[in-house]
Amino acid sequence: MVDATPRREVGRGERVLPGVWRLRLPLPWPGVPHCNAWAVAAGDGVVLFDTGMHAPGSLAHLERALDQVNLRLEHVRLVVCTHAHSDHYGQAAPIVAAAGCELWMHPNHEHMVRSFEDPEATLARRLEVARQSGVPAEPLRRYAEARRGQGPGIAQIVAPHRELVDGVVVETDLGPWAVHETPGHAPSHVCLHQPDRRLLISGDHLLGRVSLYYDYGWTPDPAGEFLDSLDRVGRLDARLCLSGHGRPFTDVSGHVEANRALVAERLEAAASAIADGRRPAVEVVPEVHGQALSAANASWWLSETLCYLEHLERTGRARRIPGEPERWEVA
Ligand SMILES: [Zn+2]
Ligand SMILES: [Zn+2]
């Protein structure tokens, strides 16, 4: 008999380098089974980079992962978040409370605060963008219904005690980690670079498997910002990447290149989709992704495609034609 029950994911901890531990924490998302928090030795405790998502029982997963490497929440001397997405920030409040430590994060975290404090307004805005992009009413209604059933993945808002901007340094036993602002995936995104050991804590900016996602609607050109951030991280010449999901990986510059190539490919696909006529964004999505929209990917892919169209607009290659729906044509 085949056991159809999915394997229950639990928090797991493992040492990656002397003084560096990977804490792998489960996520409830299809296709993204877990995320990483990274503990780095610092004096008599650790700096914790990222937190995992908040959900019923989630703190126990973090405690279990810490316990496997002989650490406890009380050892956390500082929480550093690479960005304000729920899987990287969601448990910041209970960790900070348990450890009595500070939280450092980039100041552009309004995208998270607004959606936490007013999820209905965030959803309404997202639905309006989708409607304007040509998504029909019935799938929108179903999406809204499913969305309302999901929690924010964030326990509570805790404001950063210190703003993680260029020039800030996080001290650890492995040496200082320099903050590099890397917006694109999220406006609040930073990477942390340890130059002597050539280590990079990359959050979701750089993952072992190329996976593009941009927060839409907070900054003028997320895809362009992401490309600039890739340039910036590429120049660091890191040797080992500790990313927000998946195993650590080497060949950091190869991963930078692969991201750049996929962005370029999708930009060209968006440009050629509007080459033979005015089209709403919803019709551009399948050409960018090579697949039709589904309920599971619609919001992600539509936002991503809009980011490409707006990048083409900013670089003089596309024009937006206001209307219901809004359409796009070659400039
Ligand atoms: Zn993220
Ligand atoms: Zn993530």
Side-chain angles (χ1 to χ4, degrees):
M1 219 174 90
V2 178
D3 182 5
T5 319
R7 194 164 66 87
R8 210 174 87 81
E9 293 285 349
V10 292
R12 290 176 205 280
E14 60 176 4
R15 195 184 80 148
V16 170
L17 296 167
V20 179
W21 297 274
R22 176 187 178 201
L23 308 168
R24 202 191 73 173
L25 307 170
L27 286 175
W29 300 336
V32 192
H34 23 75
C35 60
N36 298 324
W38 298 94
V40 178
D44 59 356
V46 294
V47 175
L48 185 67
F49 294 88
D50 290 340
T51 69
M53 182 177 171
H54 167 73
S58 59
L59 202 60
H61 286 294
L62 176 61
E63 290 182 295
R64 183 182 192 277
L66 285 166
D67 185 61
Q68 288 184 346
V69 293
N70 298 316
L71 290 169
R72 294 193 312 278
L73 279 181
E74 297 79 69
H75 290 127
V76 177
R77 299 285 171 264
L78 172 66
V79 174
V80 171
C81 289
T82 57
H83 62 298
H85 284 162
S86 59
D87 49 331
H88 301 261
Y89 165 82
Q91 304 201 93
I95 297 168
V96 162
C101 68
E102 291 195 347
L103 162 74
W104 295 5
M105 186 166 72
H106 193 274
N108 293 353
H109 50 69
E110 191 195 355
H111 63 98
M112 174 274 297
V113 175
R114 286 260 288 269
S115 67
F116 181 84
E117 289 178 343
D118 197 346
E120 273 301 316
T122 305
L123 178 61
R125 201 170 76 144
R126 192 171 291 187
L127 294 173
E128 177 54 20
V129 167
R131 197 188 60 76
Q132 260 188 18
S133 303
V135 179
E138 182 50 28
L140 272 187
R141 197 192 55 74
R142 285 199 305 270
Y143 170 78
E145 216 165 78
R147 193 74 200 182
R148 285 195 180 95
Q150 291 169 11
I154 292 172
Q156 219 183 302
I157 300 282
V158 49
H161 300 85
R162 180 150 186 206
E163 298 189 336
L164 278 189
V165 291
D166 289 344
V168 172
V169 163
V170 177
E171 296 291 349
T172 69
D173 290 357
L174 278 78
W177 297 72
V179 172
H180 291 269
E181 295 177 52
T182 48
H185 173 82
S188 54
H189 206 291
V190 301
C191 290
L192 294 117
H193 179 230
Q194 209 302 308
D196 311 310
R197 295 166 197 261
R198 297 173 63 202
L199 301 174
L200 185 74
I201 292 177
S202 64
D204 286 349
H205 175 64
L206 212 54
L207 298 167
R209 188 167 54 110
V210 179
S211 173
L212 302 171
Y213 174 94
Y214 316 110
D215 266 340
Y216 176 74
W218 298 99
T219 56
D221 181 16
E225 289 152 25
F226 180 67
L227 289 171
D228 290 345
S229 296
L230 285 176
D231 290 346
R232 180 160 197 197
V233 162
R235 285 193 296 270
L236 297 176
D237 194 27
R239 178 178 55 86
L240 182 70
C241 197
L242 313 173
S243 57
H245 303 263
R247 292 196 182 86
F249 58 89
T250 56
D251 189 20
V252 179
S253 62
H255 283 77
V256 167
E257 272 317 310
N259 274 271
R260 211 181 263 140
L262 188 59
V263 173
E265 186 184 299
R266 290 187 175 170
L267 279 169
E268 289 319 305
S272 69
I274 57 170
D276 20 277
R278 301 174 163 189
R279 300 176 82 181
V282 71
E283 289 179 17
V284 178
V285 177
E287 309 218 10
V288 166
H289 285 272
Q291 272 181 61
L293 273 178
S294 74
N297 65 33
S299 170
W300 177 340
W301 286 7
L302 182 62
S303 303
E304 188 186 339
T305 296
L306 283 165
C307 289
Y308 296 136
L309 290 167
E310 293 187 359
H311 183 72
L312 292 171
E313 182 184 35
R314 285 180 77 81
T315 49
R317 298 180 63 195
R319 198 164 24 232
R320 181 198 305 257
I321 301 139
E324 301 281 333
E326 177 182 78
R327 289 172 192 276
W328 293 83
E329 68 178 2
V330 170

